[in-house]
Each structure stands twice: as structure tokens, then as C-alpha cells.
Amino acid sequence: MRDYLFILLGTALVNNVVLVRFLGLCPFMGVSNKIDSALGMGLATTFVLTLAVAICWLLEHYVLIPFNIQFLRILAFILVIAGLVQFTEMFVHKASPALYQVLGIYLPLITTNCAVFGMALLNIQQPHTLVESLLFGFGSALGFTLVLVLFAGLRERLALASVPETFAGAPIGFITAGLLALAFMGFVGLPTH
Amino acid sequence: MIAAVCSLTLLGIALGWLLGLAARYLRVEGNPLQEEIQRLLPGVNCGQCGYPGCAGAAEALAGGKAAVTLCPPGGAPLVQALAARLGVTVDGATSGPLLLASVDEATCIGCAHCGKHCPTDAIIGAPKQIHGVIQDACIGCGLCVAVCPTECLQLRPVVATLKTWHWPKPALNLGV
């Protein structure tokens, strides 16, 4: 139980996927203009990331290793992720057309979100069980959603602030992202095992 | 080798089958009128109507929020088709002769700006070479005219050739 908690904490905060590992920066900068859409994107990515990490673990341990075809890992993982994203897109379109409109092109782009693929690869490099893999994926997705929503909140405030002309728009966004990453360095002190 | 081929093939088939099932059970009923209108539109997503692509334009048309004359690439034939489908009348102001882009070789400097903006890749020519427009592919949208620095690209009436000339359509003469 303690281990599971540490995996969640470690992936969500200490080794945050966006601000410490620097994966998945495209939606981080792209869909963080409004808190609502950031939350929607975070939930969609949470669904994809958790399932992708778990299915890729199953694939690695029950197909790739027994048949000794680990060289197909990247191809097989991408196939699984693409299928999952397609399913998520259909589901969001059915369940919430408004969210589907807001997320737009960023929804199919979860396929190429390197956070999803990167976490699947990082997960199988560690001696995780299936449950631990699920938590690993879920924890990093939680971290992703948390950072996305935090950053969207900051940007909503920034839109109202009077920023010097030189920094207005994207530059102040990047500076804020850097400061946020700096703040997340504070979590390094947390014990993770 | 065989294990690799078989496992990836099986994985692909299984995922495809699941997605097919999902597509059946999670299908979203679209607006049939919108889909029909979208099939009428050119589908090059040039964005000149001000809507995000032809799907956005079709949505606005189906919702009655846009005029049937919104699409420059579609030209007069599209206006008539849309007007017939939506049951509206158009005045003849938009039905001019078909205008297509062509390059004035004397003033073309070969800057290659126009080709990047052409939605149908109708403009040929490498940088620092005189460009040309493939008339069969040009849809007369005018995007290249806006970016040409020397104004050598202009929309001009189509010069009739042996291939394109046809008898004029019979006009009603009401004895006026």
C-alpha cells in the first residue's frame, strides 16, 4: 500500500511528466488557455495514458518477450496508443460534443503526445507489476492534468494582467512555464521509497 | 520472423475490430443537410469564407448563418447548386465569367511565394524560375493574387481553346 502511494506521488509530483521530464509540452502550451478545456484535455489524456501504459505492459510481458520480438516494441506500442486515442475521440464526440469542439485538433494529437509513449517506455524499463504499471500511468497522468490546470489558471490571470509589450503573449507564457518548473523542483525533497 | 509478422497482424486486426465496434456503438448522428452541403463544397479548406475549413462553412450554411455566395473557389456553379439545395434565390451579381489565375511572364520574378499558398497545387515553377499556372487545376480562389509581390498573377477570364470552347448555352429571347 505504501509502495503504491509512493509510485503515485513520485510520478505525479517528484518526476512530473511535463515539468521535470519535459514530455508532452505540445498540449501543455497549446490547450492551456482556459481551465475548462485544460481539464477536459487532462481527463482525456488521463484515460489514454493510464490504459496505454497498462496495455503496453501486458503487450511487453505476454507477447514481445515470450516471442523474443522486443525490436517491434515501438511499432506495437504506437499501434496500441493510436487505437486508444481513436476510441477516446469517438467517446468524447459522443459524450460531450462541446468538449470535442473545444479540444479540436489536440484530441487526435494525443497520439503524438510524447508523454503517453514516453511513459509506456519508461514503465517497462522498471520492474513494475501490472498494478504498479497502472498506478505509474495514472500518477503521471494526474501530474499532467494538475500541471495543465495550474498553468491554465496562471494564463487566465496573465491574460488580464498588463504585461510589458516585449513579453506579451507567448513569451510570458514560456517564462511562467519555466517558473512553474522551478517551483516543482521543490518536490525533489519528498521521499519516494 | 513469423512470430513478429503474426503478432503485429493479430494486434492490428484486433484493434481494428474493436474500433469498428466502437464506431458502431458510439456513432454520432450528424446533420444530414450539413453533410450534403459539405459534399457540394470544393473541399480544399482554403478558409476564404472566414470559417475554419469547408466543414465549418457547411455548418454555417446549414444553420442559415452564411450566404450561399460565401465560397470564392466554388464560383457561380456552386452558388447555383447551393441556392437550389437550400431553396433560396440569388441575384445575378456573382455569376460572372469563370476567372482563373495566370502568370504574366514579363513581370514574374520567380519568388515562389504563390505556390505555397495555392490550395490545389496548381502553380508550378521552382524559385528563380518563371512560374506557370495549370489551368485545369486552378479553381480561381485568388489566394496567389494576394501574395504576388509584382502583381504578375492576376485572375483573368479563361481564353477559349479548342479544348474548352463550347457553343453558348441557349438564352431565352423574350423579344425585349
Side-chain angles (χ1 to χ4, degrees), chain B residues 47-124:
Chain B
Q48 288 183 85
C49 51
Y51 293 97
C54 291
E59 193 182 341
L61 279 169
K65 284 179 288 191
V68 290
T69 54
L70 87 173
C71 181
L78 178 70
V79 172
Q80 282 158 14
L82 284 177
R85 180 63 192 81
L86 293 171
V88 293
T89 51
V90 273
D91 42 2
T94 56
S95 57
L98 182 61
L99 295 176
L100 294 182
S102 62
V103 172
D104 181 8
E105 281 85 358
T107 48
C108 178
I109 55 171
C111 67
H113 285 168
C114 46
K116 290 175 195 152
H117 291 83
C118 180
T120 58
D121 283 347
I123 299 178
I124 50 171

Side-chain angles (χ1 to χ4, degrees), chain A residues 63 67 69 72 75 79 83 86-87 90-91 93-94, chain B residues 3-4 7-8 11-12 15 19 22-23 26-28:
Chain A
V63 179
F67 292 116
I69 47 172
L72 284 177
L75 208 57
L79 199 61
Q86 189 65 45
F87 177 77
M90 286 182 212
F91 184 75
H93 197 173
K94 175 86 177 175
Chain B
S7 56
L8 265 198
L11 189 64
L15 278 172
L19 281 181
L26 294 178
R27 199 224 301 264
V28 176

Side-chain angles (χ1 to χ4, degrees), chain A residues 114-139:
Chain A
C114 52
V116 179
F117 187 55
M119 279 301 138
L121 283 181
L122 284 173
N123 177 50
I124 54 158
Q125 283 175 0
Q126 295 175 6
H128 282 159
T129 62
L130 180 60
V131 180
E132 284 170 343
S133 303
L134 266 173
L135 284 173
F136 187 81
F138 185 63

Side-chain angles (χ1 to χ4, degrees), chain A:
Chain A
M1 197 61 221
R2 237 173 99 83
D3 290 348
Y4 294 157
L5 194 65
F6 278 135
I7 286 183
L8 265 183
L9 268 184
T11 47
L13 296 178
V14 182
N15 286 320
N16 186 280
V17 59
V18 179
L19 293 178
V20 179
R21 294 193 201 268
F22 298 113
L23 295 171
L25 293 177
C26 162
F28 178 62
M29 295 308 292
V31 206
S32 55
N33 287 325
K34 280 194 199 131
I35 290 187
D36 291 346
S37 53
L39 197 62
M41 185 67 183
L43 291 180
T45 312
T46 303
F47 180 77
V48 173
L49 219 165
T50 312
L51 277 182
V53 169
I55 295 178
C56 287
W57 185 90
L58 287 174
L59 203 63
E60 171 78 12
H61 285 268
Y62 290 103
V63 179
L64 298 185
I65 290 180
F67 292 116
N68 202 19
I69 47 172
Q70 286 101 322
F71 61 91
L72 284 177
R73 188 180 290 142
I74 290 180
L75 208 57
F77 283 14
I78 284 289
L79 199 61
V80 167
I81 292 170
L84 267 176
V85 171
Q86 189 65 45
F87 177 77
T88 314
E89 191 184 348
M90 286 182 212
F91 184 75
V92 172
H93 197 173
K94 175 86 177 175
S96 166
L99 185 62
Y100 184 78
Q101 280 285 328
V102 170
L103 293 180
I105 184 67
Y106 288 99
L107 197 51
L109 275 184
I110 300 178
T111 315
T112 54
N113 184 344
C114 52
V116 179
F117 187 55
M119 279 301 138
L121 283 181
L122 284 173
N123 177 50
I124 54 158
Q125 283 175 0
Q126 295 175 6
H128 282 159
T129 62
L130 180 60
V131 180
E132 284 170 343
S133 303
L134 266 173
L135 284 173
F136 187 81
F138 185 63
S140 31
L142 271 188
F144 180 83
T145 312
L146 174 74
V147 165
L148 208 61
V149 172
L150 277 181
F151 191 53
L154 286 173
R155 281 181 88 172
E156 278 194 354
R157 292 293 187 90
L158 270 180
L160 299 174
S162 65
V163 179
E165 207 176 322
T166 332
F167 292 115
I172 193 70
F174 281 112
I175 292 173
T176 317
L179 290 175
L180 201 57
L182 216 57
F184 264 71
M185 295 282 281
F187 287 119
V188 171
L190 277 182
T192 50
H193 49 75

